[in-house]
Amino acid sequence: MISFARTALAALLVGAISLAPSMTTSAQAQDAPPSLDSAEFNACLNNLRITPAFKAISPAAFARFTGDLTPDPSVLVLLNRQPEFTMPVWDYLAVLVDDERVGDGRAAHDKWRDVLAQIEQQTGVAPNVVIGVWGVESNFGQNLGGRPLVQSLATLSCFGRRQTYFRGEFAAALRILQEGHIVPEKLVGSWAGAFGQTQFMPSTFFRSAVDFDGDGRRDIVDSVPDALASTAKFLQNAGYRRGEPWGFEVRLPAGFDTSGASRKNKQPIAAWRASGLTLADGSPLPDSLPSAGLLIPARGGPAFLVGRNFDSLYSYNASENYALAIAHLSNLVAQSGNGTAFSTPWPTDDVGLSRAQNRELQILLLARGHDIGSADGMIGAKTREAIKTEQQRLGHKVDGRAGQKLLGELR
Ligand code: CA
């Protein structure tokens, strides 16, 4: 929705980024949850109740859904956390678009074929694109986040920065409950309030959620048809154009000046063709896009021409790498064949790991006596520390990053 409100999966990825060694002590001190005054919290809720933002919420509903609330200090830690470094795009893509997710996506594409066809008829959004968003946002409904939304949003409405923003989301969350779309115990999600299979913020829910299965509730938590139709509605609202591809990987002519490359700097396809660009296999650029911008996520790596539909994917999460993950996954689920690589490799000799490889790495670390808990495929702080120890032993760069080189050596 917005970069601020990370999705469940993005939160997991960010949570997986370790702290730089020199930052560990101060950052840990910073990470201690503040103690929050419950009297102050209750007074804040009482004041909020009568503000214009909450005018759609009846006093009875407000009392019912906030009656036993206590503040949750841990969301303030997450609100203030700054990522220590940006994950390289090839690590990002390796975990978000792995063989497992492509396989699950193809199965979902097949299982929901009829629903997806009706959704495309109504919104213009292609089935494989809806599946791509679903897979990246919530792993096809498997990662919804587990934090009670009302508690998180109430806390963020009364403490910390951006209270005005969160008050709007808090009010919208209460309205979702008041209107009976979702039952309270199912309204859980990320710390910032993204929830359900589409990972919508509550305000986005009221702009884009759809009751597709016709039961009168817009249930993006438990109804797959509602969730898929809501995703398509979001993309339609964001300017998705029926029948256009998101873009395609391209080959640049030798010596091409990429300094002005930007998704936003769109030119007619004919102009790109005249500049010598072709599809990745060398064939001429198709006319399926009226205009496109040149996206180069990493200098020397794969290049893409992207159109208006890529921008609609971007608006889902305000990250070009995120949009590329969705776009790439959407292509792969609509094709057959193995592998997830682009035609041009990433400019690295140590690409990232899939979720299966993360699990394998963790099993190898456990076997070497590292206390990292269970091999869940999520690279958390304990796994990072164990990786650093092994990197030191092997004479690698000590950064806690899970990559192919380390996995190869530990095998
Ligand atoms: Ca419904």
Side-chain angles (χ1 to χ4, degrees):
M1 319 293 90
I2 54 167
S3 58
F4 195 59
R6 295 183 187 281
T7 64
L9 193 56
L12 287 171
L13 286 169
V14 170
I17 293 170
S18 72
L19 304 166
S22 60
M23 296 291 292
T24 306
T25 312
S26 63
Q28 272 172 353
Q30 223 176 295
D31 278 1
S35 73
L36 301 179
D37 187 301
S38 56
E40 188 186 337
F41 182 62
N42 289 331
C44 169
L45 292 184
N46 268 325
N47 287 333
L48 282 184
R49 192 169 52 82
I50 52 175
T51 59
F54 289 77
K55 65 176 189 297
I57 313 301
S58 75
F62 194 97
R64 183 171 153 216
F65 299 124
T66 67
D68 303 324
L69 270 190
T70 53
D72 174 6
S74 67
V75 296
L76 296 174
V77 176
L78 295 164
L79 175 70
N80 293 320
R81 178 169 287 175
Q82 301 293 326
E84 297 294 325
F85 61 82
T86 310
M87 195 182 257
V89 58
W90 46 86
D91 280 3
Y92 216 68
L93 271 285
V95 74
L96 283 177
V97 188
D98 59 11
D99 292 329
E100 202 176 337
R101 207 179 310 268
V102 172
D104 291 347
R106 286 174 182 163
H109 193 243
D110 200 44
K111 179 175 179 183
W112 298 100
R113 185 172 299 279
D114 294 346
V115 167
L116 290 164
Q118 288 176 55
I119 289 170
E120 182 177 27
Q121 207 166 35
Q122 291 175 14
T123 63
V125 181
N128 60 316
V129 171
V130 175
I131 291 293
V133 175
W134 193 25
V136 168
E137 284 294 317
S138 68
N139 192 23
F140 311 105
Q142 300 299 300
N143 293 344
L144 303 186
R147 291 171 176 274
L149 229 63
V150 168
Q151 184 186 30
S152 300
L153 292 172
T155 305
L156 294 163
S157 295
C158 291
F159 302 98
R161 58 196 177 87
R162 301 212 56 183
Q163 289 178 25
T164 308
Y165 164 74
F166 284 114
R167 286 171 184 182
E169 298 299 334
F170 179 28
L174 293 178
R175 201 178 137 206
I176 290 168
L177 295 177
Q178 177 175 268
E179 293 182 6
H181 297 293
I182 317 274
V183 294
E185 58 271 26
K186 290 292 183 79
L187 193 61
V188 295
S190 76
W191 67 269
F195 75 101
Q197 308 206 22
T198 60
Q199 291 290 294
F200 282 176
M201 290 298 289
S203 61
T204 310
F205 176 94
F206 284 105
R207 286 194 297 274
S208 295
V210 172
D211 171 24
F212 190 83
D213 61 20
D215 70 349
R217 297 161 57 229
R218 295 185 252 169
D219 185 358
I220 59 171
V221 175
D222 279 337
S223 166
V224 170
D226 284 7
L228 298 181
S230 299
T231 295
K233 185 70 185 170
F234 179 94
L235 296 176
Q236 186 187 25
N237 289 346
Y240 189 98
R241 291 184 185 147
R242 183 186 296 270
E244 279 186 22
W246 59 265
F248 22 76
E249 188 182 351
V250 295
R251 186 191 291 174
L252 304 174
F256 186 81
D257 176 14
T258 58
S259 55
S262 163
R263 166 178 65 90
K264 295 174 186 164
N265 183 13
K266 291 190 171 54
Q267 294 187 50
I269 288 296
W272 292 115
R273 215 181 272 133
S275 300
L277 275 71
T278 63
L279 287 180
D281 64 5
S283 57
L285 297 178
D287 285 309
S288 50
L289 275 181
S291 67
L294 182 60
L295 177 73
I296 302 180
R299 191 177 289 268
F304 308 89
L305 281 177
V306 296
R308 190 66 195 84
N309 289 352
F310 189 89
D311 296 341
S312 75
L313 298 177
Y314 174 86
S315 68
Y316 218 101
N317 235 311
S319 155
E320 287 178 347
N321 292 347
Y322 223 69
L324 183 62
I326 293 171
H328 189 37
L329 180 61
S330 73
N331 276 12
L332 293 172
V333 301
Q335 299 162 1
S336 53
N338 298 319
T340 59
F342 291 112
S343 295
T344 299
W346 292 112
T348 173
D349 61 356
D350 189 18
V351 293
L353 302 182
S354 67
R355 289 170 295 165
Q357 289 170 328
N358 278 334
R359 287 193 291 271
E360 185 189 352
L361 177 66
Q362 288 176 318
I363 289 166
L364 291 166
L365 291 170
L366 284 166
R368 297 192 66 85
H370 295 284
D371 172 27
I372 59 164
S374 65
D376 57 3
M378 301 306 307
I379 305 298
K382 282 182 173 175
T383 305
R384 297 269 168 197
E385 285 308 313
I387 289 172
K388 283 181 193 169
T389 305
E390 291 299 323
Q391 286 174 324
Q392 201 137 32
R393 184 177 66 80
L394 295 163
H396 292 188
K397 183 182 166 199
V398 180
D399 58 5
R401 176 180 168 267
Q404 295 289 350
K405 276 188 175 173
L406 180 73
L407 178 63
E409 289 217 30
L410 290 184
R411 275 171 181 160

